[in-house]
Amino acid sequence: MNKQDVKKRSLVFFLVPNFSMLPFSAAIETLRIANRMLGYEAYTWRLASTDGQQVLSSSGIGIEVNSSLADERKHLGGENRPSMVLVCSGIYVEDFSNKSVNAWLREVYNRGIAVGSLCTGAHVLAQAGLLSGKRCAIHWENLPGFAEAFPQADVYADLYEIDGNIYTCAGGTASLDMMLNLIDQDFGENLVNRVCEQALTDRVRGPHDRQRLPLRARLGVQNAKVLSIIELMEKNLSEPLSLLEIADGADLSRRQIERLFRQEMGRSPARYYLEIRLDRARHLLVQSSMPVVEVAVACGFVSASHFSKCYRELYNRSPQQERAERKLTLSAIAR
């Protein structure tokens, strides 16, 4: 290979406490395999943290890093300047807030360096003000809270999104797919196929492939009418549809819908609709600082008292207790 044909890309993986190991390791292993197939280090990387100290992942495994935030700021003007920075986070990302990190990420982006995230890292990018008007992806479990916290971001439940120089990935094995896209940009399909063979991956998923299992597989339901009604419900959580409106949309009578839901779901359509709204509320309670009354409104409840009553009946604790338990969990982790 001629020197002028040699392509290299340097990446910084910035680790946030409680980051997820799966997307982190999948991204690095994909790049490692690409290097092995090429026969040279086309991709190099280093790990960074706020203070240069070890970072604990959500699985309790501590990872040593190569540099601190201060080191990385110095590298921006020298030979160790990266070509891409990826923020790696996981659970409890909503509680990570660091003005120095935000300023550094903005400086990285303003210098023309690609910035991205794995798993819930889009939350950190949004805090830094980098996702306004940008398409982005985040793990489906965190999407409700993220959308409420950062309405200016154009968030999707996709595997990954690339918008200009911003790369965001939903986590899990989707980081492998985003890295394969990067490799395809740099070296083409042939190398991507060779990496896939080594990684025992039988296909490259596109950015807009679904994150979650299809409803049919997730719920174990085969009836197409019931599935279409559930999809309609999931799209209308903040302003719930009446059973009459649902019946009109499904071209069925109310009685037929009642019978189908009791047969397929073991509960009435109203009860099922209530449960998925409360599930959305639970995610908002643990992933955001929204007041309980705002969570109630966001999930289609007309009053906080009615919301609290329904929540307690389903989860055996109040919304306030749910949030208090989360704070205790965070305090235990911090110790």
Side-chain angles (χ1 to χ4, degrees):
M1 181 178 288
N2 297 327
K3 278 190 175 180
Q4 61 266 30
D5 294 328
V6 173
K7 294 181 180 178
K8 291 192 174 183
R9 194 187 285 260
S10 171
L11 296 90
V12 171
F13 290 86
F14 180 79
L15 306 186
V16 173
N18 293 303
F19 72 95
S20 297
M21 283 290 289
L22 177 57
F24 166 68
S25 57
I28 287 182
E29 280 298 294
T30 304
L31 299 177
R32 180 195 66 79
I33 294 170
N35 286 345
R36 181 166 171 256
M37 295 297 99
L38 287 167
Y40 76 97
E41 288 195 342
Y43 299 98
T44 57
W45 54 84
R46 60 181 178 265
L47 313 183
S49 69
T50 304
D51 55 6
Q53 299 299 307
Q54 182 189 80
V55 183
L56 279 181
S57 68
S58 57
S59 57
I61 298 173
I63 299 294
E64 298 292 340
V65 302
N66 309 106
S67 60
S68 67
L69 196 59
D71 296 328
E72 288 304 328
R73 298 198 87 145
K74 294 175 184 176
H75 291 329
L76 290 177
E79 60 181 15
N80 290 321
R81 167 191 168 105
S83 51
M84 174 177 277
V85 170
L86 292 172
V87 176
C88 308
S89 59
I91 58 174
Y92 310 131
V93 67
E94 304 83 9
D95 298 285
F96 179 80
S97 180
N98 188 301
K99 291 181 179 179
S100 296
V101 171
N102 294 344
W104 169 62
L105 289 171
R106 286 193 294 269
E107 185 179 359
V108 167
Y109 181 74
N110 290 334
R111 285 176 177 258
I113 298 170
V115 179
S117 62
L118 305 183
C119 197
T120 62
H123 201 284
V124 181
L125 300 190
Q127 273 191 348
L130 297 181
L131 296 183
S132 295
K134 296 287 188 181
R135 290 180 65 93
C136 61
I138 197 167
H139 193 279
W140 63 265
E141 194 175 35
N142 297 80
L143 198 150
F146 180 89
E148 292 289 341
F150 304 104
Q152 70 277 20
D154 201 6
V155 64
Y156 293 88
D158 293 335
L159 292 184
Y160 64 91
E161 285 286 349
I162 301 174
D163 191 339
N165 230 14
I166 299 284
Y167 292 67
T168 53
C169 161
T173 57
S175 65
L176 180 149
D177 298 288
M178 190 167 80
M179 291 301 101
L180 289 175
N181 181 287
L182 199 66
I183 293 167
D184 187 37
Q185 291 179 40
D186 294 340
F187 297 98
E189 186 179 1
N190 182 55
L191 179 59
V192 169
N193 291 338
R194 292 171 67 195
V195 172
C196 285
E197 286 191 320
Q198 291 292 319
L200 307 184
T201 300
D202 63 353
R203 74 183 183 96
V204 180
R205 294 181 296 178
H208 307 307
D209 281 15
R210 65 170 72 236
Q211 289 185 30
R212 304 183 72 182
L213 287 171
L215 274 176
R216 188 181 301 273
R218 188 164 17 121
L219 301 177
V221 174
Q222 302 301 317
N223 188 289
K225 284 289 187 182
V226 171
L227 292 172
S228 67
I229 291 170
I230 292 173
E231 287 180 353
L232 188 63
M233 290 176 172
E234 290 186 345
K235 290 177 182 176
N236 293 273
L237 297 180
S238 59
E239 296 183 8
L241 302 173
S242 68
L243 187 53
L244 185 58
E245 290 172 316
I246 292 173
D248 288 341
D251 197 25
L252 293 171
S253 69
R254 293 177 57 178
R255 183 173 295 181
Q256 286 174 315
I257 292 176
E258 289 276 0
R259 185 173 65 251
L260 280 173
F261 263 74
R262 293 197 180 279
Q263 288 175 348
E264 300 288 342
M265 307 304 298
R267 55 182 72 86
S268 70
R271 180 65 187 180
Y272 184 83
Y273 206 172
L274 174 64
E275 288 176 2
I276 60 175
R277 287 162 54 210
L278 289 171
D279 182 64
R280 166 66 64 86
R282 185 170 179 271
H283 281 103
L284 290 176
L285 286 168
V286 301
Q287 294 169 8
S288 75
S289 57
M290 292 172 63
V292 171
V293 65
E294 290 185 16
V295 172
V297 172
C299 298
F301 292 89
V302 295
S303 71
S305 59
H306 180 232
F307 166 60
S308 295
K309 178 177 179 292
C310 294
Y311 197 94
R312 184 184 290 277
E313 286 177 353
L314 183 62
Y315 295 115
N316 293 316
R317 55 186 176 276
S318 69
Q320 291 81 2
Q321 288 172 323
E322 186 77 73
R323 187 160 273 170
E325 285 180 19
R326 179 174 181 273
K327 287 180 180 178
L328 287 174
T329 301
L330 288 173
S331 297
I333 290 173
R335 290 196 296 270

